[in-house]
Amino acid sequence: MTPAKRKITVLPGDGIGPEVVEAALAIIQATGAAVEFEKCEAGARAFQKGIVTGIPKETIQSIERTKVVLKGPLETPIGHGNRSANVTLRTLFETYGNIRPVRELPGVQTAFTGRQLDIVIVRENIEDLYAGIEYMQTPGVAESLKLISREGCEKIVKLAFAFAIAEGRKAVHCATKANILKLTEGLLQHTFEELAPQYPSITSKHILIDNAAHQLAMRPEQFDVIVTTNMNGDILSDLTSGLTGGLGFAPSANIGNDVSIFEAVHGSAPDIAGKNKANPTALVLSGAMMLRHIGEGKAANDVEQAVLVTLEGGLRTSDMIGVDKPATTTEFTQAVISNLGKTSKLSPPKQYTKVDLPSSRPGVNVVEANARKLNGVDIYIESDLEPKALASELDKLATSSPLKLEMITNRGAVVFPASERKVSLVDHYRCRFVQRDPASKLSDAEIVSLLGAVGGNYRWMHVEKLQEFDGEKAYSKSQV
Ligand code: NAD
């Protein structure tokens, strides 16, 4: 009896999506891999039908069944009302880890040709600013919440090391902005430094994200795997794809506990859609990552090698530098199919083992603190008063409270007590109240009572408790 074929949900997507997805499917089918495709709708057509998420119910059901998706790019409609179908997919199936590998490809001319770049960005994919929790706090001041969890950091760090081991890689850098964002970006740095010793075969190093960008432009060959937060990873991975030939060559995997989604880094390229001009390499290499993920390692190697051999043979698509007679998407695809079974002279297949994916813990993940203390509260208010006048008013409102005004900041800069700095003010203040007697116990009721007094006179829009966990202040100090 022939073994059952592994079902894959395929989302052709928008713009050049159907063209590059067709190319990948033809190549995968020609490898003889035991896979079967279920094509489903998502993106522009679904939005046009009034499905606000861009992902129809039938598509979700197919993904729940198959657990593996090969997808083309999905357009994000500009304007209000519709969400990004890409973000919906990532969140719905909690694909927490975005793996974006790039490497030097034969014949793909770049500023770094000959330096054998082979870099993987492992990007946290669901937390951080991309959760998109935003508010207009006043008519003129916007806020975005950057939430980073210990659980999210652990999973992405473990995934980065597991991926490095599976690919026989030597080093993992953790790139953060922990010098400024000590609590959020710092949580990834600390988690990385805590977990790294569990992987003694891999060299580990923390690097600041801005330096990482600089080093990637100057000496990119020093990097192997880079693990980073969501937004940093989004930006860095476009940078690394630029180092190796551009978006047409950059594949990616979105790894989840249950479902994994494989797609090119590029978008729907509306400027070249339907013209048989798109470079299918990124989607084809995403297909190879998918094949490896489902245990079709030989087919994955065959696809990668056939792409390399095709490029070595000099075939070029229109997006490549120095091309005068570009191949069409179909010609390129046919060439890859005819090169299946051949081995690249410059980049023979690598050895891979299965990625030991971090397991997910069921239920609510709790990080315990043995001791907690409440020190005060930050109240965000809207006011057109100058800081000194505002402080005097707030002092009066807090006379009967166990809390006293400690400082006021405007866009992060201390404006009370008076600072030497000249700050251009907006009508949005953070007012920090702390205990008059730090040894006493502060209650929620006392905070609410102060909020009532302040709120009776000013519009407030946000309140943040000042807590201490195990003797450590759980809030940032002011930026003087
Ligand atoms: P894009 O990646 O679609 O295009 C940027 C440029 O790169 C264009 O000039 C395009 O022609 C070129 N390009 C991209 N892929 C190519 C390929 N395979 N071959 C040859 N040239 C290629 O970025 P954009 O224009 O900013 O976005 C267009 C749409 O795609 C937007 O609606 C955006 O939201 C969406 N998008 C989707 C995804 C996704 O589904 N994962 C990712 C990025 C953007």
Side-chain angles (χ1 to χ4, degrees):
M1 207 174 74
T2 40
K5 291 186 173 177
R6 173 77 192 245
K7 285 211 166 85
I8 311 287
T9 302
V10 173
L11 310 180
D14 303 320
I16 59 169
E19 298 164 68
V20 292
V21 166
E22 240 6 273
L25 297 187
I27 294 166
I28 292 170
Q29 237 145 11
T31 64
V35 291
E36 205 175 310
F37 305 119
E38 267 185 31
K39 278 196 191 163
C40 294
E41 202 170 79
R45 280 228 197 114
F47 285 121
Q48 280 153 18
K49 287 181 184 166
I51 300 164
V52 287
T53 59
I55 315 288
K57 197 168 72 234
E58 298 72 28
T59 303
I60 294 172
Q61 286 163 348
S62 168
I63 299 173
E64 278 168 347
R65 261 195 322 274
T66 65
K67 317 281 189 207
V68 180
V69 182
L70 184 64
K71 80 171 265 290
L74 305 178
E75 269 172 34
T76 303
I78 298 171
H80 299 284
N82 290 312
R83 287 178 240 156
S84 154
N86 292 306
V87 175
T88 302
L89 276 176
R90 280 176 210 156
T91 335
L92 205 57
F93 296 105
E94 215 186 302
T95 53
Y96 63 88
N98 185 205
I99 298 179
R100 294 185 166 186
V102 295
R103 65 197 278 199
E104 177 169 342
L105 293 165
V108 181
Q109 197 60 38
T110 72
F112 297 95
T113 295
R115 287 161 76 168
Q116 307 306 327
L117 302 190
D118 187 354
I119 304 167
V120 185
I121 304 288
V122 179
R123 162 192 171 198
E124 202 289 324
N125 215 18
I126 48 180
E127 298 192 339
D128 195 4
L129 293 169
Y130 285 22
I133 308 169
E134 298 204 302
Y135 306 90
M136 287 304 295
Q137 290 210 336
T138 71
V141 178
E143 178 198 41
S144 186
L145 278 188
K146 180 175 167 89
L147 293 176
I148 304 277
S149 73
R150 168 76 196 195
E151 171 71 6
C153 292
E154 271 187 27
K155 272 170 86 168
I156 201 66
V157 167
K158 286 179 181 171
L159 179 65
F161 279 108
F163 189 80
I165 289 167
E167 294 221 332
R169 290 175 179 273
K170 305 271 180 296
V172 178
H173 278 83
C174 173
T176 76
K177 193 64 189 168
N179 54 333
I180 304 293
L181 303 172
K182 294 185 170 61
L183 301 182
T184 50
E185 292 278 317
L187 190 53
L188 182 65
Q189 180 188 356
H190 296 145
T191 309
F192 175 79
E193 286 170 351
E194 204 180 301
L195 295 179
Q198 294 178 17
Y199 307 91
S201 63
I202 307 280
T203 308
S204 62
K205 192 174 173 198
H206 175 261
I207 182 168
L208 291 175
I209 191 75
D210 36 354
N211 187 24
H214 175 243
Q215 295 293 330
L216 276 166
M218 299 296 289
R219 277 200 315 119
E221 57 273 41
Q222 68 186 287
F223 293 103
D224 198 346
V225 175
I226 302 176
V227 63
T228 186
T229 44
N230 200 342
M231 187 157 122
N232 287 333
D234 196 9
I235 298 166
L236 270 202
S237 60
D238 264 34
L239 168 60
T240 51
S241 65
L243 300 177
T244 48
L247 288 173
F249 296 96
S252 86
N254 298 287
I255 303 292
N257 297 326
D258 194 31
V259 167
S260 293
I261 302 173
F262 299 82
E263 62 178 335
V265 170
H266 64 70
S268 59
D271 49 337
I272 55 164
K275 295 183 179 161
N276 202 16
K277 276 172 80 171
N279 180 356
T281 307
L283 212 284
V284 172
L285 293 178
S286 308
M289 292 178 85
M290 178 199 77
L291 288 167
R292 193 162 286 127
H293 176 78
I294 61 170
E296 289 276 357
K298 178 176 177 316
N301 280 349
D302 286 353
V303 171
E304 278 171 0
Q305 288 295 306
V307 168
L308 294 170
V309 171
T310 304
L311 293 169
E312 273 169 26
L315 208 61
R316 305 275 177 275
T317 43
S318 60
D319 56 318
M320 292 168 67
I321 295 173
V323 57
D324 48 355
K325 273 191 84 192
T328 62
T329 311
T330 348
E331 285 163 352
F332 191 86
T333 308
Q334 285 310 318
V336 174
I337 292 175
S338 64
N339 285 326
L340 282 168
K342 296 182 190 162
T343 305
S344 156
K345 289 189 209 71
L346 303 172
S347 266
K350 294 195 222 171
Q351 294 296 316
Y352 296 96
T353 52
K354 197 169 166 22
V355 184
D356 183 13
L357 292 176
S359 52
S360 66
R361 284 177 291 218
V364 179
N365 290 290
V366 177
V367 178
E368 291 286 1
N370 293 322
R372 289 169 186 251
K373 188 175 175 304
L374 194 50
N375 291 342
V377 64
D378 277 352
I379 304 179
Y380 292 70
I381 63 165
E382 191 177 337
S383 170
D384 56 6
L385 287 179
E386 292 279 334
K388 211 170 151 198
L390 177 63
S392 149
E393 293 297 313
L394 291 172
D395 263 341
K396 279 184 226 151
L397 292 172
T399 19
S400 60
S401 168
L403 292 154
K404 61 168 190 210
L405 182 70
E406 184 187 60
M407 68 163 182
I408 302 177
T409 67
N410 194 286
R411 291 190 288 162
V414 177
V415 290
F416 178 86
S419 125
E420 295 297 300
R421 258 180 66 185
K422 283 266 169 280
V423 176
S424 71
L425 299 168
V426 297
D427 58 350
H428 176 276
Y429 288 102
R430 174 177 60 146
C431 310
R432 176 161 290 181
F433 294 89
V434 295
Q435 285 178 292
R436 292 181 196 279
D437 171 12
S440 69
K441 197 167 177 292
L442 181 64
S443 72
D444 280 1
E446 285 160 332
I447 287 180
V448 173
S449 160
L450 176 68
L451 183 62
V454 174
N457 291 263
Y458 299 94
R459 285 199 187 95
W460 64 272
M461 69 299 277
H462 186 100
V463 181
E464 198 79 53
K465 279 181 177 175
L466 303 177
Q467 307 183 83
E468 222 175 82
F469 300 137
D470 295 329
E472 294 279 337
K473 285 198 169 65
Y475 47 93
S476 57
K477 288 189 208 126
S478 61
Q479 301 285 334
V480 183

